[in-house]
Amino acid sequence: MSKWFTNVKTIEDEAFYGCKKLKNVTISSSILTKVGKKSFSKTKADLVIKAPKKKLLIYKRLFKKAGLGKKVIWKKK
């Protein structure tokens, strides 16, 4: 993975909207502050998201506000 992925601050609106084949998302950034509206809408219900242990709760809240489904599986990275 490239180093610049660790510096992501925002995920824009509808970034992954409708990506039915998206199975896993790994968040390496510890400075993510915004997840845009409908960023993960209409993705797989059982999407797996891995996030840094220290930021897991904060990221869950950000993604929930962005409309992420309740069946998403969160894992510590």
Side-chain angles (χ1 to χ4, degrees), residues 32-35 57-66:
L32 183 65
T33 57
K34 180 186 174 210
V35 179
L57 184 59
I58 294 167
Y59 288 175
K60 280 184 180 182
R61 290 181 189 150
L62 281 175
F63 279 77
K64 184 178 179 182
K65 287 181 182 179

Side-chain angles (χ1 to χ4, degrees), residues 21-26 47-50:
K21 294 184 179 182
L22 185 65
K23 295 178 184 179
N24 299 300
V25 175
T26 301
L47 181 66
V48 176
I49 300 177
K50 295 178 186 176

Side-chain angles (χ1 to χ4, degrees), residues 14-25 38-47:
E14 300 182 8
F16 299 99
Y17 182 87
C19 293
K20 299 283 185 187
K21 294 184 179 182
L22 185 65
K23 295 178 184 179
N24 299 300
V25 175
K38 298 182 182 179
S39 294
F40 291 90
S41 293
K42 299 192 179 187
T43 56
K44 290 184 67 136
D46 59 347
L47 181 66

